[in-house]
Amino acid sequence: MGERVFAVLGVFAGPDALLDAASKLEGRGVGKLEAYTPYPVHGLGEALALRRSPLAGMVMVMGTLGTAAAFLFQWWMNAYDYPIVVGGKPLASWQAFVPIMFEVTVLFSAFTAWLGAVFLLCRLPGLWHPMLSSSSMPKLTRDRFALSIESQGRDFDAEATREALRDAGALETEVVRFPPAPKPASLTLLLGLAGAGALACVVAGLATYWTIKVFPTLPPMSRMLQQPRLGAQRSSSVFAGSAGFAPVAEGTVARGRLPYPFKTPEEAAVLGNPLPRTKAVLAEGKRRFDTVCRVCHGPLADGKGTLTKAYGASPADLRTRRYQAFPDGSVYHAIMSGKNAMPSFAKALTEDERWSIIHYLRALQRAADAKDSDLP
Amino acid sequence: MTLRVLAIVGALGCADSLIIDPARFWANWLVWTLMLVSAGLGSLFLVSLEHLTGARWSIPLRRTAERVASLLIPGSLAMLAALIGIPVLFPWAQPGWPEDPLQAGKTAWLNVPFFTARAAACAALWIGSWKVLAGGSLELDRTRDPRLHLRLQRFSPFFIAVFALTVTVTAFDWVSSLSPEWYSDVLGVYLFAGVFLSGLSAVSLAAVSLKKEGRLQGVRFDHLYNLGGFLFAFVVFWSYIAFAQYMLMWYAHMPEEIFWYKDRVEGAWGAATLGLALVHFVIPFFALVTRGSKGDPRRLAWVSGLVLVSHYADLCWLVFPSLGLAPRFSWPEAAAGLLFVSVGLLWVRRATAQGDDLPVGDPALEEGLAFRL
């Protein structure tokens, strides 16, 4: 029994007796008061003069931080790092950021409240506490209420404290000491739990790996494969001779499939722009240029698009002398066949759209070094 | 006495504005009608919530809520009077409407006879429900018959359904149909948020001022805290709904929706919109966010007053731009405000003179008074 005293415990019959004793002893400097009850007792916080928990302030700070972080992150991504127009809205549209800001605020607040309460303020997981060695503990989880006065140093007088508790109406009192040696059981338990967790991770990882190895063709979504359609070599009742695919009729060309015979920009130079240079054509050209060419060649066709470095090639500056003198047909060829890092846009654009882009490109070139006489 | 004089001054001012500018007069009349209905209906909702959930904390405040709910009577009467303004207020009552097939689809709903019938039905249901809930509660005080208490509890689910339907109908009829080409499904919920907020604020204000007079003795921090908590929650709820409606319409940018917001976000109303966000969300939110402030009578009183003013501003924001009116507060607005505020105060004051301040016949009143957070 030579161990250090942790606290003196007084057991009371009911919550009223406990509240009464707490308000009697509070502020008399007997030591740090703490209460143990089987259920929450109203008014105990006031009776013990507990300080307000700092949790609310922590949540406020972290919640605000969440709002700010979500806003800055979205702004940086959408308006700065990877600017892509979505739905025709301005790049930095705060309206679109609000839902995420709201959610991140809630997330940060909830995590702070939970983690802060559990780990910081309640100091869990604490698998051991000196009070657990008290013989009154089983009663305290059932129908008894206790007040403890914790020792705060050498000059703690256990006997006088017992007396004070008895005076305050305690049915019985007990001196709680630190147990002989802190139990290492909690450490073993924690290590065991951590080990089991690590093992579970490894097993789950390996299982996933082997599942994918052994069943590599688990079809994720095969509904598109199983629709009624005509296979390449199947017969059909639509065409004569039960052929699945009928040959193209002799001497005809499918709509929009005129062959494109040219191999080089020089050969294509013989082509002339068939469209008139009207406002409507220029407007259409601008619309198509902005949709298709602008990302790479830039809004002014000066080769300064919004591509990131990952693209590797540098799109041509189409405003230079060289391209001002480039024949229409050769530009048409660039659109049809592409060049090196520029892919072909034959599929993406109709013939009229290609020619209208060329009209618009000419306008951009002229605007590059416009003269006063160009002004209307 | 002063209130009576103010009411008369307000009435004269209103008569004047009716002659000079009928459209503006009816707009103000409509806003203030909805104001009275909101405060009354929101309070009655609080009463029926208590019966419905068996809540204990609100029992000491229930009589106050029942008294504020009596505003439904002048509110309903004002609404019936507003029917006279239909030809001035609503485009769908003009000759030549509907102009396009989209709006033609709404003729079955938007026509004078059916509209009048709906308004009358709403008024009858509100006054009837108030009679059942508030009258039954007074009756209970007299007879102490526990069966009466049970009857109130059984009536409440019915009232909740009536409440949901009538709030939605009111929002669609008196707010949305000012711009008949506009669509918004969520407007009923939006108005509900404002209705409950103004009911809560009116009850809080009434409770705090009664406490100041030394009445409502048993009502403590804990009871007020719950009112403040509700107020806080629904300030956020209103903002959530208001923003959700705005964001969807802003994103989709459909012509039959977006014009409504263009009227309110561009030009002079743009500043009003920002101001609304400030007084309807930012200030009340931060004023009530801490624990101590939700139950502090002084804080609760001024935030409640602010929320009522915000609901008024919100209603103006809903009604005025649709009629092409600018965000102005001048004589016609002041006169209508004087008239309705003083009549409302007189009405509630008369109600507080009748019966006990606490529902003494409620079997659970003791429990309610002992309520602790």
Side-chain angles (χ1 to χ4, degrees):
Chain A
M1 282 303 266
E3 300 298 330
R4 242 169 6 100
V5 173
F6 169 69
V8 178
L9 191 72
V11 179
F12 295 84
D16 294 330
L18 179 79
L19 282 176
D20 189 44
S23 40
K24 262 190 213 147
L25 291 170
E26 207 291 310
R28 273 183 36 196
V30 281
K32 184 164 167 271
L33 283 181
E34 188 69 82
Y36 299 86
T37 61
Y39 55 78
V41 172
H42 279 311
L44 199 55
E46 289 85 347
L48 293 175
L50 292 184
R51 272 187 305 121
R52 281 290 310 283
S53 149
L55 196 61
M58 284 157 51
V59 169
M60 188 78 198
V61 169
M62 288 306 285
T64 316
L65 219 66
T67 322
F71 176 78
L72 287 178
F73 193 44
Q74 292 181 87
W75 174 83
W76 175 74
M77 285 194 303
N78 287 300
Y80 183 74
D81 182 46
Y82 208 86
I84 285 187
V85 175
V86 179
K89 305 294 181 205
L91 290 171
S93 295
W94 64 270
Q95 291 95 332
F97 300 167
V98 169
I100 309 287
M101 283 159 65
F102 173 76
E103 265 144 38
V104 176
T105 309
V106 172
L107 187 80
F108 273 39
S109 307
F111 268 124
T112 312
W114 189 70
L115 297 177
V118 168
F119 292 115
L120 277 179
L121 300 179
C122 297
R123 297 205 209 102
L124 288 175
L127 298 177
W128 177 81
H129 190 275
M131 196 50 79
L132 290 178
S133 62
S134 154
S135 58
S136 315
M137 217 52 204
K139 283 186 275 179
L140 296 183
T141 57
R142 228 172 25 234
D143 57 355
R144 281 297 132 95
F145 300 75
L147 207 58
S148 79
I149 299 179
E150 288 174 16
S151 152
Q152 279 172 320
R154 232 169 275 281
D155 51 353
F156 183 72
D157 184 346
E159 272 317 308
T161 315
R162 280 182 102 144
E163 201 50 47
L165 276 169
R166 232 174 274 132
D167 282 349
L171 299 180
E172 48 190 278
T173 58
E174 178 190 348
V175 177
V176 182
R177 291 168 192 281
F178 285 99
K183 294 262 171 68
S186 54
L187 193 69
T188 329
L189 194 66
L190 272 183
L191 280 178
L193 276 177
L199 194 69
C201 289
V202 171
V203 169
L206 282 179
T208 314
Y209 178 77
W210 284 113
T211 315
I212 295 171
K213 277 277 157 195
V214 175
F215 309 104
T217 54
L218 278 181
M221 274 258 273
S222 53
R223 258 161 261 140
M224 297 259 281
L225 273 175
Q226 292 154 0
Q227 58 186 335
R229 72 194 192 291
L230 198 58
Q233 303 296 329
R234 300 282 168 74
S235 61
S236 125
S237 57
V238 176
F239 299 116
S242 75
F245 281 70
V248 179
E250 198 88 15
T252 62
V253 172
R255 268 173 208 273
R257 295 288 170 89
L258 270 178
Y260 181 73
F262 305 110
K263 294 276 182 295
T264 62
E266 290 73 29
E267 280 175 41
V270 299
L271 289 172
N273 197 335
L275 295 184
R277 195 174 342 146
T278 61
K279 267 216 166 102
V281 167
L282 281 173
E284 172 69 1
K286 173 174 165 51
R287 202 168 71 82
R288 306 311 311 179
F289 181 89
D290 283 350
T291 323
V292 180
C293 322
R294 177 181 162 152
V295 259
C296 299
H297 287 284
L300 302 176
D302 54 1
K304 298 201 181 84
T306 45
L307 292 166
T308 60
K309 288 206 184 62
Y311 180 59
S314 50
D317 177 355
L318 298 176
R319 305 186 311 174
T320 51
R321 284 270 118 86
R322 170 171 146 71
Y323 288 114
Q324 293 199 359
F326 216 49
D328 281 357
S330 303
V331 179
Y332 191 83
H333 184 79
I335 300 178
M336 289 299 286
S337 320
K339 185 185 178 195
N340 300 333
M342 169 171 163
S344 155
F345 289 99
K347 292 238 170 57
L349 300 162
T350 66
E351 190 178 342
D352 280 1
E353 285 168 349
R354 291 173 214 140
W355 287 118
S356 62
I357 286 181
I358 293 172
H359 269 316
Y360 178 65
L361 185 61
R362 296 292 179 217
L364 285 179
Q365 288 174 340
R366 178 131 169 213
D369 45 13
K371 304 176 185 55
D372 284 350
S373 58
D374 286 339
L375 287 172
Chain B
M1 188 58 213
T2 27
L3 278 180
R4 261 162 240 254
V5 175
L6 287 180
I8 292 171
V9 172
L12 289 176
C14 283
D16 187 42
S17 82
L18 174 59
I19 296 165
I20 298 172
D21 187 349
R24 198 151 156 205
F25 166 80
W26 283 116
N28 278 312
W29 186 273
L30 175 55
V31 164
W32 277 104
T33 302
L34 292 177
M35 216 36 213
L36 287 187
V37 168
S38 298
L41 206 54
S43 311
L44 203 58
F45 180 64
L46 192 64
V47 171
S48 77
L49 264 192
E50 178 190 312
H51 291 309
L52 200 64
T53 60
R56 296 288 188 253
W57 69 269
S58 60
I59 296 176
L61 293 163
R62 200 181 75 220
R63 181 55 43 78
T64 312
E66 286 163 2
R67 286 164 169 174
V68 175
S70 71
L71 284 176
L72 277 173
I73 296 171
S76 302
L77 293 180
M79 187 151 146
L80 294 180
L83 290 172
I84 305 170
I86 288 181
V88 187
L89 285 173
F90 297 105
W92 49 263
Q94 295 336 308
W97 190 84
E99 294 146 1
D100 57 54
L102 263 185
Q103 295 186 47
K106 298 186 177 181
T107 42
W109 182 265
L110 295 179
N111 56 69
V112 177
F114 192 24
F115 188 94
T116 311
R118 284 196 304 271
C122 284
L125 283 170
W126 292 337
I127 296 181
S129 303
W130 176 76
K131 269 249 159 288
V132 174
L133 285 171
S137 166
L138 282 175
E139 179 85 11
L140 187 63
D141 281 6
R142 265 193 305 282
T143 60
R144 313 273 162 131
D145 181 355
R147 272 174 309 173
L148 255 174
H149 192 250
L150 208 60
R151 215 184 70 193
L152 294 180
Q153 285 184 335
R154 296 229 170 103
F155 178 73
S156 289
F158 170 73
F159 173 71
I160 293 289
V162 165
F163 175 78
L165 279 177
T166 50
V167 168
T168 312
V169 164
T170 306
F172 286 177
D173 279 3
W174 292 97
V175 178
S176 191
S177 85
L178 292 165
S179 316
E181 61 274 47
W182 189 55
Y183 289 84
S184 172
D185 300 342
V186 87
L187 195 76
V189 183
Y190 180 93
L191 189 68
F192 157 70
V195 162
F196 193 34
L197 269 181
S198 40
L200 284 169
S201 313
V203 172
S204 308
L205 269 182
V208 171
S209 74
L210 281 180
K211 258 183 82 68
K212 236 188 174 162
E213 291 173 24
R215 298 159 76 175
L216 282 187
Q217 280 299 336
V219 173
R220 279 174 292 109
F221 175 89
D222 306 70
H223 301 101
L224 294 182
Y225 179 92
N226 271 7
L227 278 181
F230 254 129
L231 207 57
F232 180 70
F234 274 80
V235 160
V236 178
F237 180 74
W238 176 88
S239 320
Y240 188 96
I241 298 298
F243 184 78
Q245 174 178 291
Y246 168 64
M247 196 189 79
L248 289 190
M249 295 198 173
W250 166 81
Y251 235 134
H253 215 268
M254 305 292 266
E256 70 270 26
E257 293 171 349
I258 196 67
F259 78 93
W260 195 85
Y261 272 108
K262 278 175 87 93
D263 286 350
R264 282 161 181 78
V265 171
E266 292 173 356
W269 280 103
T273 307
L274 282 183
L276 192 63
L278 192 71
V279 293
H280 215 312
F281 173 62
V282 180
I283 298 179
F285 179 89
F286 284 104
L288 288 183
V289 75
T290 58
R291 184 176 187 274
S293 59
K294 292 191 189 73
D296 173 33
R298 292 251 303 278
R299 176 75 62 101
L300 194 60
W302 77 252
V303 176
S304 299
L306 180 73
V307 169
L308 281 175
V309 172
S310 315
H311 186 53
Y312 168 72
D314 184 21
L315 290 172
C316 291
W317 182 86
L318 288 171
V319 169
F320 283 13
S322 292
L323 296 166
L325 296 170
R328 250 187 316 168
F329 190 90
S330 182
W331 289 113
E333 286 72 35
L338 261 184
L339 174 64
F340 278 84
V341 170
S342 39
V343 167
L345 282 178
L346 280 172
W347 195 275
V348 175
R349 181 156 316 161
R350 211 192 53 147
T352 50
Q354 292 167 350
D356 289 282
D357 286 343
L358 296 176
V360 288
D362 194 304
L365 176 62
E366 281 304 311
E367 250 179 280
L369 285 170
F371 167 78
R372 293 289 222 118
L373 278 176

